[in-house]
Amino acid sequence: MKNTMLLAALWNFFSGKTQKIFLAVFLLLFHFKNESTAQTNKPNIILILVDDIGYKSLTCNGGNLYSTPNIDGLAKKGMRFTQCHASPTCSPSRHLLLTGKYNFRNYTDWGEMNPDEKTIGNMMKNAGYKTGFFGKDQLEGGGASINSWGFDDYCVHDALNPGQRKSRYKSPHLYTHGAFIPDSLTLDKYGPDIVSDSLLGFIDKNKSNPFFAFYPMILVHQPMSPTPDDKEFAEWDPKNHHDTSYFSSMTHYMDKKVGELVDKLKSLGIEKNTVIIFSADNGTPGIVGDYNDDDSIVLGGKHVTTEAGTHVPLIVYWPGTVSAGTVNNDLVDFTDILPTLAGIAGIPVPAGHGKLDGVSFAPRLKLQSGTPRKWIFNDYIQRTGRDTLVRWAQTKNYKLYDTSAKEAKRLFYKISKDENELHPLDAASLTKEESVIRKKLLEVINSHVAQGTPLISSTPSLSDITHSSVVLKGTVFTNGGSTITASGAVWSTNPHPKISSSTYTSGGMIDGSISSFIKDLKANTTYYIRAYATNSAGTAYSDQLVFKTLLTPPVATAASAVEDVKFTANWKTYAGAISYKLDVSTSPTFTGTKSTNHTEDFKGGVKALKDWKVSTHLKANTSVFGTSSPALEFTASDASLETPQLKGSANQLKFWIQGINIGTASSLLIEGFDGNSWKKITTLTNIPEQGAAKVYNAGTTPALDTNLIKFRFSYTKKRGTIILDDISINYNAVIPDFVPGYENISVENNSKPVIGLDPATGYYYRVRAKTADNVSINSNVIGTTTKALSDVSNSTVNNLHLTYESCNTTILNAQVFPNPSSSEFALAIQTCKNEKVRVIVTDIYGKKIYEATGTGSNKYLFGKNVNAGVYFVTVNSLTLNKTIKIIKGNQ
């Protein structure tokens, strides 16, 4: 009433034109007031995504291992969802959540989001919200990308900059406003505290405006380490190996940060106008315990596509709007978050973001009917050394995997009774209802073909180039699996070949690796080649490679002048050849095998393990054998050790192992790699506390496969400490096998006497041709056998040296092999005269280090114990005077 009287008095005070101006100003202010009120009525939204917390880790979801009272409070006063699913690892889940799209639509590579994508940040900012991003960033590209994806303010760890991946916890390395916070300002501080303070400051600054805060918490991801609430924090070195015993403390500290956030909202009086959505990106890590329904403790399921890896908590807290203590059993996946936020904010789902896959559960928050999901779909790139696309669809009770594009067999599980997916249901045993469900899930999988062309590795590789064939290898990163209808290689003699205008290979692919054998090429011809992959959206090509096929192989012909210690190798003249390369061997494959032993005693420590793959949870142990002879200690359940790749297949694996304070539940997985996949050899349990040697070969149980080329040791269940030492691998190394002096030797004519051989022995030879601009592959292989001494006519034996009466060829050559060498040299003299030979070896200063006399049939060995360096070998006879430069390497 008073306001009305005041307005009337003001109106009467003005007159005429002035009244009109007053009215216009009043209406404008009234409009601004209404707009401000409308903005203020928009709910604030805080989306919390904790890192590596499975569904059963929370006490509100039935867990009993960890303390989460503040999160439990959100569930008690809000809505708790029981069927929310993410991907099994961090990046895929975050991309689903931020874009509302399946990964085959938003990836450019594993963990890399297409820079043209729009996110919930863009949507909320365009709706008038102030936007902020606080926590762990896995979007690739740093601050510029965060801004382009709609977030105004940010304080993040890592920004996925490989050069900046430092501590996220004590003395953290954090990125904000286009720069990393100086280390001097974060020294001895705790990363989650700094990020939380930044978030609370953002809320303080925008308390009078609608705001959206994405809070992907750093906790509780590895490395597991003490929090400021632990007494060890003050002395903790961030470079220490992590300790799983701190997982419980980290979980509680994560819950504490949630409590501080709620307290902040209450203190500002905006709690009832703020929606908190709480979830996690994937299951609990496999190195710590999780709760099981039968009250037992199991290892977490991160990285695994079962319920343990994908089932995550989801809680929505909105005082006065969401009924306290409600439980929702609808299926939810992470693509549903974006349309749900649009529904909460009262804004339309953006049309400019492209095809979205999410379904809004916003109506369900107000107990309205809405449109709950009937199924969930996921396509996940499983990173197990060789990226493999896994696709599945599921209901609350059943799950179907799309295991193959080529096979009708697909794994079908009743996950409500078999959540570890140990017992696939046989099609013949399905009930009528189960058959209908399986058919529906298969329709879901088949309907989700790729909407974008495949993402293919930009640069494939070529190998095994011949005169008529080549092998191309490449990788399809995403949009693969059963969505690929064809893949392979396309080639032409013209640049930029395409399927429509060139020759190509074709085949379905299901795992990501393309390997195409291309044949029927023209010899000595330049080709352009690309890898390709096709799905329903189109065809993608890699960068092109250019290569030239080799010459057609020359033709070797039968040997002539075959005697006891020599023969003549022959081949047809090759047009345009300026020289030939001749090989001679006692093996038709020109290779042999040599029993070799690869040993490692770890006395050089972990850092000295060249070419070994060592996880971060392995260290040298000096307590068992002393500081002069350290062993290797496995310190965590995910510790693993991988040997270098052998140059042949192993026939025996031997190592020494000891358990310290070990439990019966401890296990060490031993695996072997055959060039394509890892195969289990055995899992060791009850590891001896006194220490013992373990041996595996063809005669042991279990037997060792004969085709393994490297090995891996993985501590799968930690209950104590495992000490490993003296790994010894015996294997048959594949080595070149050539007659000394006849490996890839240059010949100008189309024949070559091969001398200095053993009587009555089988030999093989092959030849390559070389022109001015190309070479050929090896010719056919010719076999011949030297004659026995008794079969040789026209020669006499004198003092065990042969004199060839019919020899009309002078000394041919003197060659030292191998050159260079790291051990010993051998001198081969190719001669058909029984004349005296003198051999002198000197260093670069002219000092004589070796001298010998004999004949061409003698064998001269020298240099085994001389130092590394350059030396000169001089061979003198009546018809030969030759000096050869040789190099001795380090042993």
Side-chain angles (χ1 to χ4, degrees):
M1 184 69 175
K2 289 181 180 180
N3 290 337
T4 304
M5 292 174 64
L6 178 61
L7 287 172
L10 288 171
W11 179 260
N12 292 329
F13 177 79
F14 296 109
S15 61
K17 189 174 182 179
T18 311
Q19 285 181 330
K20 294 181 180 179
I21 296 173
F22 171 76
L23 179 61
V25 172
F26 172 77
L27 291 175
L28 185 61
L29 291 173
F30 182 78
H31 171 75
F32 283 159
K33 179 179 184 298
N34 283 347
E35 184 177 71
S36 176
T37 302
Q39 279 205 338
T40 302
N41 287 335
K42 286 183 179 180
N44 306 309
I45 302 173
I46 302 173
L47 176 56
I48 304 174
L49 187 70
V50 296
D51 204 340
D52 292 0
I53 287 288
Y55 179 81
K56 295 177 182 178
S57 296
L58 304 183
T59 51
C60 62
N61 287 334
N64 59 11
L65 299 180
Y66 312 111
S67 174
T68 55
N70 292 299
I71 299 170
D72 298 343
L74 296 182
K76 186 176 181 180
K77 298 177 182 179
M79 180 177 289
R80 180 173 64 87
F81 289 77
T82 64
Q83 286 290 336
C84 180
H85 289 263
S87 267
T89 49
C90 308
S91 284
S93 291
R94 292 159 195 268
H95 289 63
L96 294 172
L97 180 148
L98 286 166
T99 65
K101 300 178 182 181
Y102 297 130
N103 292 140
F104 65 76
R105 303 190 206 276
N106 58 34
Y107 263 19
T108 57
D109 190 1
W110 190 97
E112 295 181 9
M113 194 159 75
N114 190 324
D116 297 328
E117 282 294 336
K118 302 297 183 183
T119 75
I120 53 179
N122 300 113
M123 179 182 75
M124 301 306 288
K125 182 176 181 178
N126 292 339
Y129 276 75
K130 299 297 183 181
T131 56
F133 188 127
F134 305 94
K136 177 183 173 184
D137 173 28
Q138 281 190 302
L139 295 181
E140 285 284 359
S145 293
I146 294 175
N147 289 148
S148 69
W149 282 317
F151 296 99
D152 301 314
D153 200 356
Y154 59 89
C155 179
V156 296
H157 170 261
D158 199 333
L160 283 188
N161 184 337
Q164 301 293 345
R165 290 178 181 170
K166 300 180 182 179
S167 173
R168 69 185 72 193
Y169 293 124
K170 187 177 180 182
S171 302
H173 206 58
L174 302 176
Y175 191 71
T176 183
H177 302 118
F180 285 92
I181 301 174
D183 293 345
S184 60
L185 298 181
T186 64
L187 182 64
D188 294 333
K189 292 183 172 61
Y190 195 53
D193 285 342
I194 297 175
V195 169
S196 175
D197 289 345
S198 297
L199 168 63
L200 299 184
F202 169 81
I203 294 172
D204 232 341
K205 183 171 63 176
N206 296 289
K207 58 181 177 290
S208 299
N209 304 298
F211 62 81
F212 168 66
F214 180 42
Y215 186 21
M217 295 180 70
I218 296 173
L219 289 160
V220 295
H221 196 284
Q222 299 176 50
M224 291 166 194
S225 56
T227 73
D229 288 347
D230 296 304
K231 62 182 181 180
E232 296 90 348
F233 181 80
E235 302 300 327
W236 185 263
D237 183 347
K239 296 179 182 179
N240 285 354
H241 296 301
H242 77 175
D243 189 331
T244 56
S245 65
Y246 292 111
F247 183 77
S248 178
S249 174
M250 293 172 73
T251 302
H252 188 67
Y253 206 85
M254 173 269 295
D255 180 80
K256 177 180 176 179
K257 293 286 106 180
V258 173
E260 291 176 359
L261 173 61
V262 175
D263 290 343
K264 181 66 174 181
L265 298 176
K266 290 180 179 178
S267 70
L268 295 175
I270 58 174
E271 180 190 16
K272 290 189 176 181
N273 196 43
T274 303
V275 185
I276 297 177
I277 301 175
F278 176 92
S279 191
D281 59 356
N282 47 248
T284 309
I287 57 173
V288 294
D290 213 344
Y291 175 75
N292 205 15
D293 285 337
D294 62 3
D295 239 6
S296 63
I297 298 175
V298 296
L299 291 179
K302 181 178 180 179
H303 300 296
V304 181
T305 62
T306 63
E307 292 285 286
T310 68
H311 193 192
V312 294
L314 175 62
I315 300 166
V316 179
Y317 173 75
W318 192 359
T321 301
V322 172
S323 299
T326 52
V327 176
N328 186 296
N329 297 314
D330 295 345
L331 279 171
V332 176
D333 80 14
F334 268 25
T335 63
D336 299 337
I337 299 297
L338 185 146
T340 299
L341 294 185
I344 292 173
I347 60 177
V349 176
H353 284 211
K355 169 68 176 176
L356 300 179
D357 298 294
V359 177
S360 173
F361 56 84
R364 305 293 285 160
L365 301 177
K366 299 179 181 180
L367 303 181
Q368 299 171 0
S369 58
T371 54
R373 280 183 171 276
K374 295 181 179 179
W375 47 261
I376 284 175
F377 170 80
N378 204 325
D379 66 329
Y380 169 63
I381 300 176
Q382 201 164 34
R383 308 194 81 189
T384 53
R386 179 177 171 181
D387 290 358
T388 302
L389 183 69
V390 183
R391 306 169 79 234
W392 70 87
Q394 70 175 82
T395 65
K396 297 176 188 176
N397 297 315
Y398 292 91
K399 187 172 185 180
L400 177 68
Y401 283 93
D402 181 20
T403 56
S404 171
K406 299 178 181 179
E407 300 178 13
K409 181 180 179 181
R410 290 176 168 87
L411 299 176
F412 185 49
Y413 297 96
K414 188 172 184 178
I415 54 177
S416 58
K417 300 293 184 181
D418 181 21
E419 67 175 21
N420 293 322
E421 300 174 11
L422 301 176
H423 309 289
L425 301 177
D426 184 78
S429 66
L430 300 182
T431 66
K432 184 177 180 180
E433 180 184 11
E434 288 173 336
S435 296
V436 171
I437 293 171
R438 186 187 184 281
K439 181 179 178 182
K440 177 59 182 176
L441 293 179
L442 183 56
E443 290 174 355
V444 171
I445 291 173
N446 290 336
S447 68
H448 283 84
V449 296
Q451 302 300 307
T453 57
L455 301 170
I456 198 166
S457 56
S458 59
T459 306
S461 63
L462 298 177
S463 62
D464 302 319
I465 299 174
T466 73
H467 67 295
S468 62
S469 64
V470 69
V471 174
L472 176 142
K473 293 184 179 180
T475 303
V476 174
F477 290 125
T478 59
N479 298 349
S482 61
T483 71
I484 297 294
T485 56
S487 64
V490 56
W491 64 94
S492 173
T493 54
N494 298 314
H496 310 297
K498 291 185 177 181
I499 290 177
S500 59
S501 59
S502 307
T503 311
Y504 62 93
T505 60
S506 180
M509 55 82 63
I510 60 174
D511 58 13
S513 296
I514 297 173
S515 181
S516 292
F517 175 65
I518 298 140
K519 58 183 182 178
D520 298 329
L521 302 177
K522 293 181 180 179
N524 200 29
T525 302
T526 298
Y527 284 94
Y528 300 87
I529 188 168
R530 300 197 286 185
Y532 79 91
T534 300
N535 63 10
S536 60
T539 299
Y541 296 94
S542 72
D543 293 343
Q544 72 175 4
L545 299 175
V546 183
F547 72 98
K548 189 174 185 179
T549 51
L550 303 182
L551 303 172
T552 54
V555 177
T557 58
S560 60
V562 179
E563 299 187 24
D564 54 347
V565 292
K566 70 171 187 174
F567 64 81
T568 298
N570 302 295
W571 52 91
K572 293 182 179 180
T573 301
Y574 195 98
I578 57 175
S579 65
Y580 303 91
K581 297 288 187 179
L582 174 67
D583 295 327
V584 183
S585 176
T586 56
S587 165
T589 63
F590 298 83
T591 60
T593 59
K594 178 182 178 182
S595 181
T596 304
N597 206 57
H598 185 96
T599 61
E600 179 57 59
D601 56 13
F602 308 112
K603 290 181 180 178
V606 174
K607 293 183 179 179
L609 294 176
K610 185 180 179 182
D611 298 327
W612 291 62
K613 289 187 178 180
V614 183
S615 77
T616 55
H617 308 126
L618 292 173
K619 66 178 184 180
N621 179 293
T622 57
S623 62
V624 177
F625 300 111
T627 56
S628 63
S629 183
L632 192 68
E633 177 180 326
F634 288 74
T635 62
S637 293
D638 62 345
S640 65
L641 177 71
E642 187 177 310
T643 71
Q645 183 165 313
L646 309 172
K647 295 180 179 179
S649 56
N651 51 54
Q652 180 169 284
L653 170 66
K654 183 179 180 181
F655 55 90
W656 185 93
I657 189 170
Q658 178 184 9
I660 299 177
N661 299 321
I662 213 77
T664 56
S666 292
S667 59
L668 185 71
L669 174 64
I670 317 294
E671 300 170 285
F673 186 70
D674 64 2
N676 291 310
S677 60
W678 288 97
K679 296 182 178 180
K680 177 182 174 181
I681 299 171
T682 188
T683 299
L684 294 179
T685 56
N686 297 319
I687 296 168
E689 294 197 5
Q690 298 301 317
K694 298 288 184 180
V695 179
Y696 300 94
N697 52 42
T700 61
T701 303
L704 195 68
D705 284 352
T706 58
N707 59 347
L708 301 179
I709 57 175
K710 61 179 175 179
F711 298 92
R712 182 167 65 192
F713 303 80
S714 303
Y715 199 177
T716 53
K717 293 183 179 178
K718 175 176 167 56
R719 297 291 189 275
T721 299
I722 290 179
I723 305 297
L724 196 67
D725 206 358
D726 296 330
I727 293 178
S728 176
I729 307 169
N730 187 269
Y731 65 98
N732 293 320
V734 177
I735 58 173
D737 182 17
F738 296 94
V739 172
Y742 291 97
E743 177 185 1
N744 204 32
I745 64 168
S746 292
V747 182
E748 294 185 359
N749 301 312
N750 64 335
S751 66
K752 174 72 175 178
V754 180
I755 64 175
L757 306 178
D758 293 328
T761 302
Y763 291 93
Y764 301 86
Y765 64 87
R766 65 189 183 190
V767 66
R768 290 186 298 136
K770 182 178 180 181
T771 64
D773 65 347
N774 207 350
V775 296
S776 75
I777 63 170
N778 289 308
S779 70
N780 55 310
V781 176
I782 295 293
T784 190
T785 303
T786 54
K787 295 180 179 181
L789 283 177
S790 58
D791 297 334
V792 178
S793 58
N794 205 24
S795 68
T796 60
V797 179
N798 180 23
N799 296 326
L800 300 179
H801 299 304
L802 293 176
T803 301
Y804 297 99
E805 297 174 0
S806 61
C807 182
N808 57 9
T809 306
T810 58
I811 291 175
L812 298 172
N813 196 9
Q815 183 174 354
V816 178
F817 59 93
N819 182 18
S821 173
S822 59
S823 57
E824 191 171 40
F825 295 96
L827 172 66
I829 300 175
Q830 300 167 318
T831 180
C832 63
K833 284 188 173 292
N834 185 25
E835 58 184 26
K836 187 175 181 180
V837 174
R838 185 184 184 196
V839 179
I840 299 175
V841 182
T842 62
D843 62 16
I844 59 174
Y845 303 106
K847 181 181 178 182
K848 188 189 303 180
I849 64 167
Y850 175 84
E851 182 177 6
T853 57
T855 65
S857 59
N858 283 109
K859 187 175 184 180
Y860 303 93
L861 299 176
F862 54 88
K864 181 176 182 180
N865 297 315
V866 302
N867 296 326
V870 176
Y871 298 89
F872 299 94
V873 180
T874 300
V875 181
N876 291 119
S877 70
L878 291 175
T879 55
L880 178 65
N881 187 358
K882 183 172 183 178
T883 299
I884 305 165
K885 177 182 176 181
I886 62 174
I887 301 173
K888 175 70 180 294
N890 290 315
Q891 297 189 27

